[in-house]
Amino acid sequence: MTPEMLSLSNSPGLFVGLMLLKLIVVFSVVMLMVAYATWCERKIIGHMQTRLGPMRTGWHGLLQPIADGIKLFFKEDIIPSQASVVPFLLAPMMILVPAIITVAVIPFGPDVTVSGLIVPLQITDLNVGVLYILAFAGLGVYGIVLAGWSSNSKYSLLGGVRASAQMISYELAAGLTIVSVFMLSETLSLREIVALQSEPLWGTFSFLPNWYVFTQPLAFFLFVITGLAEINRTPFDMPEAESELVSGFCTEYSSMKYALFFLAEYANMIVVSAIAATLFLGGWYGPLPSSLGVINLLGKIVAFMFFFIWLRATLPRVRYDQLMRMGWKVLLPLALANVVVTGFVVVLLQ
Amino acid sequence: MASIMFYLLSLILLTATLLCIFQRNPVHAVLYLVLGFFSLAIMFYLLGAPLVAAWEVIVYAGAIMVLFLFIIMMLGLAPQDRPEGPGWQRWLPFVILMAAVLACTLVIIALDPAATAQGEPYSLGPQDFGEALFGKYALAVQVVSFQLLFAAVGAYNLGRIQRGKGKP
């Protein structure tokens, strides 16, 4: 007898219990990674610039994120008198929530069997999984734009305007790179996309997995660039360019509301890394055996995070017109051409 | 249950769009419209079209409305003078509507009407959607996409003339 999939109908108590457990574990891991991503960023950039980075709080500054958290918690919470209060309060939440709920569709390991029922290691498997990610990535912009608009400050407003234009431009190219992955996988469910990538490469080479980075190298390259622009990381951090806009959309924010923007930035980095790993690098599959699936996925995420931090230490910020020109005149045509070529090849091989 | 949710969401949708029309500040109007799109997306999901729901959020709420906000902020269309009365009073309908939409979403996810429907499950997958769009309705899709192309060419032409020597 083949074991059944665990669902609300065949074992409600176990389903709800395991679902809560998965939610709590995933949320805590993401939050812990966010906290230590700030520490890693300061340490890595410090060492790259021949400094030591934080050293005083704990061994090699390991308690620094906790100290920062406590400090931000006890700071005075300022709301500008001319601000539009409700959007000003809502904006930090509107940017953090979409960033965190996208993790729900990322599969983080192979199925496990609990008391004869199959439990997927994924919070939920939507049949439109990737579109769900795109939808919430699109909604994250509102947080930034509203923060910029409601602060009633010219720097914030400029940051918000820049963020909206940048996000729209790069979302198109990001969506098109994902389309070329769909054309190969013929499914939108992330669980099935990972399963397809665990086969041998092109069905022939058994020493390599069928990761889409081998079939779609251009799409992978474009996705990483557009992903960086979507989450406003250097070299695309125009909405909060310190040297010209003070701190962009979060200039007027203080205390925990500022901390929420910070959390959202790192949560977004984790999400983009997880999506890139899942779509192009096999997700939890390989190079270690599948029983260590979680470690595989975490390793790939950490590698991407290191790459993003490395870029921040290396590249200067691009100019705004360069950013727009690259988005519309280089990345978008390349992504479109990639989709067309993929379409031709898929039809020819059928 | 599904029909109660449907009428509740339609009520939210109508209220949000009416409030959108009656707002003086264009940014507030855009926010109400986004709320309307969101409840429309959930209605599509309720009707068994998760793909259309996702597109509704991606294209309308995620891209077109952000473009509207961009234009409003760039041209400084928002009124400079602050209206009378405390902020929470003006924002109360928005907060209530948003809470209602979120509550409806939660109820729909928890009950999952598509899975508990009598008889055949009526959820429409991406593949069926694509086949209908490019098979049965292929001609309509072509016509509409040509119209969009004409509109884009026309908009480009208008912009190009105005950027020249001032006269067409």
Side-chain angles (χ1 to χ4, degrees), chain A residues 168-180:
Chain A
I168 296 170
S169 314
Y170 280 76
E171 221 169 55
L172 281 174
L176 283 172
T177 58
I178 296 180
V179 166
S180 48

mmCIF file with all atom_site columns, all heavy atoms in Angstrom, chain A residues 168-180:
data_model
loop_
_atom_site.group_PDB
_atom_site.id
_atom_site.type_symbol
_atom_site.label_atom_id
_atom_site.label_alt_id
_atom_site.label_comp_id
_atom_site.label_asym_id
_atom_site.label_entity_id
_atom_site.label_seq_id
_atom_site.pdbx_PDB_ins_code
_atom_site.Cartn_x
_atom_site.Cartn_y
_atom_site.Cartn_z
_atom_site.occupancy
_atom_site.B_iso_or_equiv
_atom_site.pdbx_formal_charge
_atom_site.auth_seq_id
_atom_site.auth_comp_id
_atom_site.auth_asym_id
_atom_site.auth_atom_id
_atom_site.pdbx_PDB_model_num
ATOM 1  N N   . ILE A 1 168 ? 9.370  48.485 -10.964 1.00 0.00 ? 168 ILE A N   1
ATOM 2  C CA  . ILE A 1 168 ? 8.577  48.139 -12.143 1.00 0.00 ? 168 ILE A CA  1
ATOM 3  C C   . ILE A 1 168 ? 9.499  47.704 -13.268 1.00 0.00 ? 168 ILE A C   1
ATOM 4  O O   . ILE A 1 168 ? 9.259  46.705 -13.939 1.00 0.00 ? 168 ILE A O   1
ATOM 5  C CB  . ILE A 1 168 ? 7.714  49.331 -12.593 1.00 0.00 ? 168 ILE A CB  1
ATOM 6  C CG1 . ILE A 1 168 ? 6.709  49.684 -11.526 1.00 0.00 ? 168 ILE A CG1 1
ATOM 7  C CG2 . ILE A 1 168 ? 6.994  49.007 -13.871 1.00 0.00 ? 168 ILE A CG2 1
ATOM 8  C CD1 . ILE A 1 168 ? 6.009  50.961 -11.814 1.00 0.00 ? 168 ILE A CD1 1
ATOM 9  N N   . SER A 1 169 ? 10.609 48.435 -13.457 1.00 0.00 ? 169 SER A N   1
ATOM 10 C CA  . SER A 1 169 ? 11.489 48.119 -14.579 1.00 0.00 ? 169 SER A CA  1
ATOM 11 C C   . SER A 1 169 ? 12.105 46.741 -14.432 1.00 0.00 ? 169 SER A C   1
ATOM 12 O O   . SER A 1 169 ? 12.212 45.997 -15.400 1.00 0.00 ? 169 SER A O   1
ATOM 13 C CB  . SER A 1 169 ? 12.620 49.137 -14.671 1.00 0.00 ? 169 SER A CB  1
ATOM 14 O OG  . SER A 1 169 ? 12.123 50.414 -14.538 1.00 0.00 ? 169 SER A OG  1
ATOM 15 N N   . TYR A 1 170 ? 12.530 46.401 -13.211 1.00 0.00 ? 170 TYR A N   1
ATOM 16 C CA  . TYR A 1 170 ? 13.262 45.146 -13.057 1.00 0.00 ? 170 TYR A CA  1
ATOM 17 C C   . TYR A 1 170 ? 12.340 43.958 -12.847 1.00 0.00 ? 170 TYR A C   1
ATOM 18 O O   . TYR A 1 170 ? 12.753 42.833 -13.061 1.00 0.00 ? 170 TYR A O   1
ATOM 19 C CB  . TYR A 1 170 ? 14.293 45.279 -11.941 1.00 0.00 ? 170 TYR A CB  1
ATOM 20 C CG  . TYR A 1 170 ? 15.522 45.987 -12.437 1.00 0.00 ? 170 TYR A CG  1
ATOM 21 C CD1 . TYR A 1 170 ? 15.518 47.356 -12.624 1.00 0.00 ? 170 TYR A CD1 1
ATOM 22 C CD2 . TYR A 1 170 ? 16.653 45.286 -12.781 1.00 0.00 ? 170 TYR A CD2 1
ATOM 23 C CE1 . TYR A 1 170 ? 16.614 48.010 -13.124 1.00 0.00 ? 170 TYR A CE1 1
ATOM 24 C CE2 . TYR A 1 170 ? 17.770 45.927 -13.275 1.00 0.00 ? 170 TYR A CE2 1
ATOM 25 C CZ  . TYR A 1 170 ? 17.744 47.295 -13.436 1.00 0.00 ? 170 TYR A CZ  1
ATOM 26 O OH  . TYR A 1 170 ? 18.833 47.936 -13.943 1.00 0.00 ? 170 TYR A OH  1
ATOM 27 N N   . GLU A 1 171 ? 11.075 44.231 -12.424 1.00 0.00 ? 171 GLU A N   1
ATOM 28 C CA  . GLU A 1 171 ? 10.152 43.119 -12.235 1.00 0.00 ? 171 GLU A CA  1
ATOM 29 C C   . GLU A 1 171 ? 9.863  42.425 -13.563 1.00 0.00 ? 171 GLU A C   1
ATOM 30 O O   . GLU A 1 171 ? 9.750  41.202 -13.618 1.00 0.00 ? 171 GLU A O   1
ATOM 31 C CB  . GLU A 1 171 ? 8.846  43.641 -11.653 1.00 0.00 ? 171 GLU A CB  1
ATOM 32 C CG  . GLU A 1 171 ? 8.265  42.762 -10.595 1.00 0.00 ? 171 GLU A CG  1
ATOM 33 C CD  . GLU A 1 171 ? 7.140  43.475 -9.902  1.00 0.00 ? 171 GLU A CD  1
ATOM 34 O OE1 . GLU A 1 171 ? 6.207  43.918 -10.589 1.00 0.00 ? 171 GLU A OE1 1
ATOM 35 O OE2 . GLU A 1 171 ? 7.224  43.609 -8.686  1.00 0.00 ? 171 GLU A OE2 1
ATOM 36 N N   . LEU A 1 172 ? 9.772  43.231 -14.640 1.00 0.00 ? 172 LEU A N   1
ATOM 37 C CA  . LEU A 1 172 ? 9.494  42.654 -15.958 1.00 0.00 ? 172 LEU A CA  1
ATOM 38 C C   . LEU A 1 172 ? 10.570 41.659 -16.341 1.00 0.00 ? 172 LEU A C   1
ATOM 39 O O   . LEU A 1 172 ? 10.283 40.518 -16.703 1.00 0.00 ? 172 LEU A O   1
ATOM 40 C CB  . LEU A 1 172 ? 9.458  43.767 -17.003 1.00 0.00 ? 172 LEU A CB  1
ATOM 41 C CG  . LEU A 1 172 ? 8.197  44.597 -17.075 1.00 0.00 ? 172 LEU A CG  1
ATOM 42 C CD1 . LEU A 1 172 ? 8.403  45.731 -18.040 1.00 0.00 ? 172 LEU A CD1 1
ATOM 43 C CD2 . LEU A 1 172 ? 7.059  43.729 -17.523 1.00 0.00 ? 172 LEU A CD2 1
ATOM 44 N N   . ALA A 1 173 ? 11.836 42.085 -16.245 1.00 0.00 ? 173 ALA A N   1
ATOM 45 C CA  . ALA A 1 173 ? 12.928 41.200 -16.637 1.00 0.00 ? 173 ALA A CA  1
ATOM 46 C C   . ALA A 1 173 ? 12.982 39.983 -15.726 1.00 0.00 ? 173 ALA A C   1
ATOM 47 O O   . ALA A 1 173 ? 13.179 38.854 -16.197 1.00 0.00 ? 173 ALA A O   1
ATOM 48 C CB  . ALA A 1 173 ? 14.245 41.960 -16.611 1.00 0.00 ? 173 ALA A CB  1
ATOM 49 N N   . ALA A 1 174 ? 12.751 40.181 -14.419 1.00 0.00 ? 174 ALA A N   1
ATOM 50 C CA  . ALA A 1 174 ? 12.789 39.047 -13.486 1.00 0.00 ? 174 ALA A CA  1
ATOM 51 C C   . ALA A 1 174 ? 11.701 38.049 -13.840 1.00 0.00 ? 174 ALA A C   1
ATOM 52 O O   . ALA A 1 174 ? 11.944 36.839 -13.890 1.00 0.00 ? 174 ALA A O   1
ATOM 53 C CB  . ALA A 1 174 ? 12.610 39.535 -12.058 1.00 0.00 ? 174 ALA A CB  1
ATOM 54 N N   . GLY A 1 175 ? 10.481 38.565 -14.132 1.00 0.00 ? 175 GLY A N   1
ATOM 55 C CA  . GLY A 1 175 ? 9.386  37.675 -14.499 1.00 0.00 ? 175 GLY A CA  1
ATOM 56 C C   . GLY A 1 175 ? 9.716  36.878 -15.748 1.00 0.00 ? 175 GLY A C   1
ATOM 57 O O   . GLY A 1 175 ? 9.476  35.679 -15.814 1.00 0.00 ? 175 GLY A O   1
ATOM 58 N N   . LEU A 1 176 ? 10.331 37.550 -16.753 1.00 0.00 ? 176 LEU A N   1
ATOM 59 C CA  . LEU A 1 176 ? 10.635 36.850 -18.009 1.00 0.00 ? 176 LEU A CA  1
ATOM 60 C C   . LEU A 1 176 ? 11.694 35.771 -17.816 1.00 0.00 ? 176 LEU A C   1
ATOM 61 O O   . LEU A 1 176 ? 11.627 34.717 -18.449 1.00 0.00 ? 176 LEU A O   1
ATOM 62 C CB  . LEU A 1 176 ? 11.100 37.856 -19.065 1.00 0.00 ? 176 LEU A CB  1
ATOM 63 C CG  . LEU A 1 176 ? 9.974  38.668 -19.690 1.00 0.00 ? 176 LEU A CG  1
ATOM 64 C CD1 . LEU A 1 176 ? 10.548 39.750 -20.574 1.00 0.00 ? 176 LEU A CD1 1
ATOM 65 C CD2 . LEU A 1 176 ? 9.070  37.765 -20.506 1.00 0.00 ? 176 LEU A CD2 1
ATOM 66 N N   . THR A 1 177 ? 12.681 36.009 -16.923 1.00 0.00 ? 177 THR A N   1
ATOM 67 C CA  . THR A 1 177 ? 13.676 34.952 -16.710 1.00 0.00 ? 177 THR A CA  1
ATOM 68 C C   . THR A 1 177 ? 13.009 33.736 -16.077 1.00 0.00 ? 177 THR A C   1
ATOM 69 O O   . THR A 1 177 ? 13.349 32.599 -16.400 1.00 0.00 ? 177 THR A O   1
ATOM 70 C CB  . THR A 1 177 ? 14.808 35.411 -15.792 1.00 0.00 ? 177 THR A CB  1
ATOM 71 O OG1 . THR A 1 177 ? 14.265 35.826 -14.555 1.00 0.00 ? 177 THR A OG1 1
ATOM 72 C CG2 . THR A 1 177 ? 15.612 36.511 -16.392 1.00 0.00 ? 177 THR A CG2 1
ATOM 73 N N   . ILE A 1 178 ? 12.036 33.990 -15.183 1.00 0.00 ? 178 ILE A N   1
ATOM 74 C CA  . ILE A 1 178 ? 11.357 32.855 -14.561 1.00 0.00 ? 178 ILE A CA  1
ATOM 75 C C   . ILE A 1 178 ? 10.504 32.118 -15.594 1.00 0.00 ? 178 ILE A C   1
ATOM 76 O O   . ILE A 1 178 ? 10.386 30.900 -15.560 1.00 0.00 ? 178 ILE A O   1
ATOM 77 C CB  . ILE A 1 178 ? 10.532 33.340 -13.359 1.00 0.00 ? 178 ILE A CB  1
ATOM 78 C CG1 . ILE A 1 178 ? 11.470 33.915 -12.305 1.00 0.00 ? 178 ILE A CG1 1
ATOM 79 C CG2 . ILE A 1 178 ? 9.758  32.211 -12.744 1.00 0.00 ? 178 ILE A CG2 1
ATOM 80 C CD1 . ILE A 1 178 ? 10.767 34.427 -11.088 1.00 0.00 ? 178 ILE A CD1 1
ATOM 81 N N   . VAL A 1 179 ? 9.937  32.898 -16.564 1.00 0.00 ? 179 VAL A N   1
ATOM 82 C CA  . VAL A 1 179 ? 9.133  32.258 -17.620 1.00 0.00 ? 179 VAL A CA  1
ATOM 83 C C   . VAL A 1 179 ? 9.954  31.217 -18.368 1.00 0.00 ? 179 VAL A C   1
ATOM 84 O O   . VAL A 1 179 ? 9.472  30.121 -18.663 1.00 0.00 ? 179 VAL A O   1
ATOM 85 C CB  . VAL A 1 179 ? 8.594  33.329 -18.595 1.00 0.00 ? 179 VAL A CB  1
ATOM 86 C CG1 . VAL A 1 179 ? 8.070  32.683 -19.860 1.00 0.00 ? 179 VAL A CG1 1
ATOM 87 C CG2 . VAL A 1 179 ? 7.495  34.121 -17.937 1.00 0.00 ? 179 VAL A CG2 1
ATOM 88 N N   . SER A 1 180 ? 11.230 31.520 -18.637 1.00 0.00 ? 180 SER A N   1
ATOM 89 C CA  . SER A 1 180 ? 12.023 30.548 -19.398 1.00 0.00 ? 180 SER A CA  1
ATOM 90 C C   . SER A 1 180 ? 12.250 29.279 -18.585 1.00 0.00 ? 180 SER A C   1
ATOM 91 O O   . SER A 1 180 ? 12.408 28.201 -19.171 1.00 0.00 ? 180 SER A O   1
ATOM 92 C CB  . SER A 1 180 ? 13.336 31.166 -19.872 1.00 0.00 ? 180 SER A CB  1
ATOM 93 O OG  . SER A 1 180 ? 13.970 31.826 -18.837 1.00 0.00 ? 180 SER A OG  1
#
